[in-house]
Amino acid sequence: GENVEQHPSTLSVQEGDSAVIKCTYSDSASNYFPWYKQELGKGPQLIIDIRSNVGEKKDQRIAVTLNKTAKHFSLHITETQPEDSAVYFCAASIEVPGANNLFFGTGTRLTVIP
Amino acid sequence: SAVISQKPSRDICQRGTSLTIQCQVDSQVTMMFWYRQQPGQSLTLIATANQGSEATYESGFVIDKFPISRPNLTFSTLTVSNMSPEDSSIYLCSVEDLGVAQYFGPGTRLLVL
């Protein structure tokens, strides 16, 4: 089955700096890659996702890049703010309606220092 | 996206007892799932809650320990039976509609003493 690795496990950045979280996956058939943000005491919130037919997607300060050849994808957060502090999870799946093939990474705890 | 609520939000239970967690969605969805998130860990899929039929369990999870109901397209329950301290976790329901993204509820934080 799919194996998703995520690095780093913890990341501290100064407010205003950029943060990058990287994930690799093992199954070349995976075609959907969401990112979730989990704040303390809350459930995971979908913040951005990308499908394998594109290489990059942006939403304001957040961007995700995908390299299908190398089987890795990354989350980029620019101009970080203290409210970006949370645990971020990447995931990979083969999109099949009616089936759950979502495999999660181990998470990155991001701390933005004011 | 759908609005998902869970009850209870947290609970402290004695070992040997059972707890039923409810998941309510504000719109009809095709797929509902239950996950477990142990302290400081990632998410592990417990089962798919199937409307009108028995749930589909992942390896390592069994119906006797985690019975699941899904009477309609907006509601599901997960019961954690005969609890032990090892069952202390966050239990999350999620929904997916027509193959689009998966969205999570706020979670139920369970502590078993």
Side-chain angles (χ1 to χ4, degrees), chain A residues 41-43, chain B residues 5-12 19-22 89-92 105-111:
Chain A
K42 297 184 178 180
Chain B
S5 60
Q6 286 186 233
K7 290 181 181 179
S9 59
R10 59 179 66 243
D11 208 342
I12 301 173
L19 176 71
T20 295
I21 302 167
Q22 299 179 4
S89 286
I90 301 172
Y91 292 87
L92 296 151
T108 295
R109 282 142 188 85
L110 172 62
L111 176 63

Side-chain angles (χ1 to χ4, degrees), chain B residues 68-113:
Chain B
I68 289 171
S69 77
R70 190 175 173 195
N72 55 53
L73 294 177
T74 64
F75 185 78
S76 178
T77 67
L78 167 74
T79 299
V80 187
S81 302
N82 188 23
M83 288 184 285
S84 67
E86 292 72 35
D87 294 320
S88 298
S89 286
I90 301 172
Y91 292 87
L92 296 151
C93 73
S94 72
V95 304
E96 181 181 309
D97 201 23
L98 299 175
V100 189
Q102 201 170 130
Y103 298 94
F104 286 85
T108 295
R109 282 142 188 85
L110 172 62
L111 176 63
V112 183
L113 302 177

Side-chain angles (χ1 to χ4, degrees), chain A residues 42-85:
Chain A
K42 297 184 178 180
Q45 174 193 4
L46 178 68
I47 56 172
I48 195 168
D49 55 12
I50 190 169
R51 287 175 169 81
S52 59
N53 57 345
V54 298
E56 183 175 3
K57 184 177 179 181
K58 288 184 179 180
D59 183 3
Q60 299 182 353
R61 297 186 295 108
I62 293 173
V64 57
T65 59
L66 171 65
N67 183 327
K68 287 191 296 182
T69 303
K71 290 189 284 189
H72 68 70
F73 56 112
S74 300
L75 178 71
H76 304 252
I77 306 174
T78 58
E79 301 174 23
T80 53
Q81 301 168 2
E83 49 265 39
D84 295 328
S85 296

Side-chain angles (χ1 to χ4, degrees), chain A residues 2 5-6 13 17 25 30 34 40 42-43 52 54 59 65 71 78 98 100 104-105 110-111 113:
Chain A
E2 176 68 278
E5 295 189 356
Q6 183 171 347
V13 299
D17 288 350
Y25 60 98
S30 290
L40 191 62
K42 297 184 178 180
S52 59
V54 298
D59 183 3
T65 59
K71 290 189 284 189
T78 58
N100 187 340
F104 285 88
L110 173 64
T111 302
I113 304 166

Side-chain angles (χ1 to χ4, degrees), chain A residues 8-19:
Chain A
S9 57
T10 60
L11 178 61
S12 293
V13 299
Q14 291 291 136
E15 181 177 358
D17 288 350
S18 296

